Amino acid sequence: MATERTFSIIKPDATRRNLTGAINAVFEKNGLRIVAQKRIQMSQAQAETFYGVHHERPFFKDLVSFMVSGPVVVQVLEGDNAVAKNRELMGATNPANAAEGTIRKLFAESIEANSVHGSDSPENAATEIAYFFAGSEIVG
Ligand code: RTP
Ligand code: MG
């Protein structure tokens, strides 16, 4: 299996409820190593660019407002098949459909306030990591 990196965000609903450590524990228990991490307040422009792919979707405006509504923790996770592994640990976008034991089943409040983001491909992971981190901030 290939060691890979993925980009993760602990979203405002989770930082607000002090769940950063509980979510990180799920990553670490399941073989993902946190090789970079910082708590930031995302700007409107950063959120709009980050979610640019969803620009035409009806939920875009609400999603951007939500992502700037409080601090987020941006992270780089490393491990075997990290992109797919993290998506599996996160669970379905809508917590109502998320499998037992997944982060969204455990913690998410709604389809929007769903506690975590994870890259959906290795290519997008590389782009998203570079958007938030300098190479020198990632220590594997
Ligand atoms: P993410 O990008 O945050 O990891 O989540 P995802 O791939 O599971 O979901 P995606 O389809 O990429 O949607 C991005 C985020 O937009 C919010 N959303 N709201 N109100 C709605 O119907 C709706 N649908 C999606 C969620 O915060 C979702 O994670
Ligand atoms: Mg997505």
Side-chain angles (χ1 to χ4, degrees):
M1 269 196 261
T3 295
E4 199 172 68
R5 286 177 176 174
T6 192
F7 177 72
S8 165
I9 305 178
I10 300 179
K11 295 183 179 183
D13 66 287
T15 61
R16 194 176 291 126
R17 288 175 290 148
N18 225 12
L19 292 170
T20 300
I23 290 170
N24 280 346
V26 176
F27 296 145
E28 292 187 331
K29 251 186 265 164
N30 288 279
L32 292 176
R33 184 173 291 274
I34 301 159
V35 295
Q37 173 167 266
K38 57 190 173 188
R39 180 172 165 107
I40 62 167
Q41 171 62 53
M42 235 190 248
S43 70
Q44 182 88 11
Q46 260 177 324
E48 285 175 357
T49 301
F50 182 76
Y51 278 120
V53 65
H54 294 310
H55 195 265
E56 303 309 322
R57 307 282 284 276
F59 59 78
F60 178 73
K61 231 174 147 232
D62 280 353
L63 173 60
V64 169
S65 303
F66 166 61
M67 291 301 289
V68 304
S69 68
V72 299
V73 176
V74 292
Q75 313 175 294
V76 181
L77 308 178
E78 185 178 88
D80 288 341
N81 293 316
V83 171
K85 166 62 73 71
N86 185 37
R87 298 284 293 186
E88 191 185 312
L89 294 175
M90 286 163 49
T93 308
N94 185 345
N97 303 327
E100 286 301 326
T102 61
I103 293 169
R104 284 166 168 168
K105 180 71 175 189
L106 287 167
F107 302 122
E109 294 181 320
S110 67
I111 189 169
E112 177 181 83
N114 61 2
S115 301
V116 280
H117 161 83
S119 307
D120 57 13
S121 70
E123 295 71 29
N124 286 340
T127 306
E128 293 174 1
I129 289 169
Y131 189 59
F132 285 101
F133 289 98
S136 59
E137 293 178 298
I138 306 167
V139 183

